[in-house]
Structures are given as structure tokens and as C-alpha cells.
Amino acid sequence: MHTLWVRLNAVVFFGLTVIVCLAVLTWFSTATHRGFPTVETLKMNKLTSLRSHGNKDIAVLTFDLHADLEKAFNWNVKQLFVFVVAEYRSKKHPLNQVVVWDTIIEHKEDAKLHLDKQRVDYGLIDQGTELRNTTVTLKLVWDHMPLTGRLFMDSLSKSQFKLPGKYQ
């Protein structure tokens, strides 16, 4: 005769097996979904300042962003982590990537971004003094955070601009 503990163990592990199977089926149902949002505008609006501070160059700017990220959502996406990255090359480092702005979008209804003259949350900081006369590319990146399944990121480069040769 089976004891109460053996029966409880069988019920609990049967329940866990069902939950794991449902999670795998959930992942399969959205594994091939790659809805690409449309980004109409992502460009620098105005360079507020470019200065040197403590042997580091710091650029502060505003940008315009018009994007519709609704296509990135499906029933399994909990939220999108959206951020703007400034990429540039320098003599010391072949590729520099700096996050200058970010937000979290939790609902599909909030996924239309219309930002004009948006000030960056984080300055564009170079760990040397190599920002002057540098070409910078702005890229919009969105990170899918599902309820269950794999995490993945997509991005779209939209515009380039050149920083001035003198501090402002």
C-alpha cells in the first residue's frame, strides 16, 4: 500500500510535468514570431553641449524618435525594454556603444513613440578625448521579455551625424 507521502509526491511531480509541458508549448507557439516594428524617424535634433571634463569627452544632445513598436508584441511578450544606442569608432577602441536613452513598454497600446526634442537620459561619454570630429550612429534597440521562452533583441540603425571639432 502506498503511503500519503508517496501519493503526494506523485501528484506534485505530475503537476510540475504538466506546467513544464505547457511552458514548452507556449515557447513553440511564439518561437517564429519576428514582428518588425517601423521606425519612421530617429535623428539627432540638437547638440546641447560637447565638453571635456576630467579627461573625458561628454556630449549632451536631443533627438527625435517616431516609432511604432506594436508589431513586436504578441500574447507572450510581458514587456519591451527599448533604448537608443549611440555608436562610434575611436583610435583606442574599434567600436563604442553608449546607451543614451531608455524606457520600458508594458502594453501594446503604449508602443507608439512620438518624441520630439527628447533630451538624452545619459550623456554620450567617451573614456578619452576622442569625441570631437567623430561620426555617431543612432540605433534603436528593443529587447523582448516574454512570459516564458527565450529572450532576444532586435535593432535598427536610423541616422548618423558628425560631432564638431571644437568644444561647445
Side-chain angles (χ1 to χ4, degrees), residues 9-34:
N9 185 14
V11 168
V12 167
F13 279 95
F14 175 74
L16 287 174
T17 303
V18 169
I19 289 173
V20 167
C21 289
L22 289 174
V24 168
L25 289 173
T26 300
W27 176 76
F28 275 125
S29 72
T30 60
T32 60
H33 178 265
R34 297 292 284 208

Side-chain angles (χ1 to χ4, degrees), residues 28-61:
F28 275 125
S29 72
T30 60
T32 60
H33 178 265
R34 297 292 284 208
F36 268 93
T38 56
V39 179
E40 296 168 19
T41 306
L42 174 59
K43 65 178 183 172
M44 183 190 75
N45 186 300
K46 179 183 176 188
L47 180 66
T48 307
S49 73
L50 174 61
R51 56 190 162 91
S52 180
H53 178 72
N55 215 17
K56 296 178 186 173
D57 279 354
I58 301 172
V60 178
L61 53 106

Side-chain angles (χ1 to χ4, degrees), residues 121-140:
D121 292 338
Y122 319 104
L124 175 55
I125 300 174
D126 183 55
Q127 297 301 315
T129 56
E130 299 183 33
L131 271 184
R132 291 170 290 160
N133 285 326
T134 301
T135 301
V136 178
T137 302
L138 290 180
K139 185 192 311 189
L140 183 67

